[in-house]
Structure formats: structure tokens, C-alpha cells
Amino acid sequence: MTPEPPCYDASMIELVTGREVVRKRPAFFLGPLDPYATHRLIRCAIDGLLWHYQRLDQALDRIAVGLADDGSATVTSHSRGTALVRGHEGRQLFQRELQELSVGVQGLFILNALSARLDAAARTADDLWHHFTFDQGLLRHEEVRVQATAASADIRLAFWPDHNILERGIFDLTRTLDQVRPFADSNPEVAIDVTGGHLDAQDV
């Protein structure tokens, strides 16, 4: 006797929304979850910043990537001329890109969802900085304060990958450069600098 095929109904459908879309299916957004998957978060950060400047029709001058010994990375953007996020509209757009998944503009959202912690800061009017602290994609704290920094800096993203989802490891300089190079090739007018990090033994 042929067994009856399983019956599927609405109760078997799991509805996943918001950051859980990324956290439950990270490979769909980030690619293979190998030891170097964390490096692709840097790609997400740069891609998200490029989209952000493009959406506001602002000229991006430089992106600086810093790799720290504690396993974190910092990505800072610098515009040409007028600060990108001085206006209320720019700050709101930046915050939405960190917290909402949208078609075509996903880099900052993926970065936030797959970081154990993300400290994001955007320069606002009167050279104040609007700071956001996220844990696993959830906003925990925000404040506006004065911060001494280079006058041309607009946005600063400091993040620690979530090793409950991604394999643990430190940022490797060579692998980071591999993630950065396509952006440098396709956006020659934007300087991208990388500092810190370690060379993988197999690359030495």
C-alpha cells in the first residue's frame, strides 16, 4: 500500500521578519559560512556606505577600514565638502538602512544583523554626532554628543561579528583586501585605505 504524501498546511510555514531573516539564513545573504565569512561583513559595510551616499546624491571621497586585535573592525567614511548627514533626512535614512531590510539596499542591515555589537555614529548639525549602539541587530542605546574627530568624517561603524552565527576568527589583512579590491576597481574616485590586521600563515 502506497503511503499517503505528507500534508502541508499553513501551520508548517514559519514567518520570519526583520533581522531574523538574516540571522536564521545568514548564508543566503553572506555566502558560505566558512572561517572567512566575517570578512564579508566588511564588504557589506562598504557596499552600504556607497549606497547611502548615492541615495543622497553626495560625493564620497574616502573610506578607511581599521582591523583591531580584539576581532573588531571599524569602517569610516569621509565626504567631499558638505558633511553627508548634517541634515535630519540624512540621519533618518542612515538609521533606517541599519534597521530595515529593503530591496537593493541591504549592506548596512546585514552588517547590523550579523554583528554581536555595532556602534554606529553619524555626524549631524552643528558638528554633533548621533550615536547608535546595537546588540545582535537590536537598538540598545542612542544619544547625541560632541565628539572630536576629523572634520571630513561623516559616518563611523565599529562592529564585532556575532560568533554564535559566524565562525570565530580574527580579521586577516589579505582576505580583507580581497573584499575591498572590487570596490576600489569599480569606484576609482573613492580612496579605500586598510590598516591593521594580520597575515594568514598560508599567505606569508
Side-chain angles (χ1 to χ4, degrees), residues 39 67-69 170-175 196-201 203:
H39 294 73
L67 309 176
D69 290 337
I170 60 174
F171 283 106
D172 165 61
L173 180 58
T174 301
R175 300 285 176 168
H198 302 269
L199 288 175
D200 191 314
D203 298 317

Side-chain angles (χ1 to χ4, degrees), residues 63-77:
I63 292 176
V65 179
L67 309 176
D69 290 337
D70 66 354
S72 67
T74 301
V75 181
T76 306
S77 64

Side-chain angles (χ1 to χ4, degrees), residues 24-76:
K24 289 193 173 185
R25 300 178 178 87
F28 181 82
F29 296 91
L30 207 60
L33 301 183
D34 55 32
Y36 299 106
T38 53
H39 294 73
R40 290 190 283 278
L41 289 179
I42 293 174
R43 181 184 66 195
C44 290
I46 295 176
D47 183 61
L49 289 173
L50 288 171
W51 267 102
H52 183 76
Y53 280 73
Q54 184 177 345
R55 292 177 78 184
L56 290 179
D57 194 26
Q58 294 282 347
L60 177 56
D61 183 57
R62 181 167 63 92
I63 292 176
V65 179
L67 309 176
D69 290 337
D70 66 354
S72 67
T74 301
V75 181
T76 306

Side-chain angles (χ1 to χ4, degrees), residues 10-29:
S11 66
M12 303 179 71
I13 299 175
E14 180 185 14
L15 179 62
V16 182
T17 60
R19 79 193 219 290
E20 289 303 315
V21 173
V22 180
R23 292 181 62 80
K24 289 193 173 185
R25 300 178 178 87
F28 181 82
F29 296 91

Side-chain angles (χ1 to χ4, degrees), residues 107-126:
L108 296 181
F109 182 82
I110 295 169
L111 170 69
N112 192 14
L114 294 178
S115 294
R117 176 176 173 178
L118 170 66
D119 292 338
R123 186 154 59 102
T124 59
D126 302 322

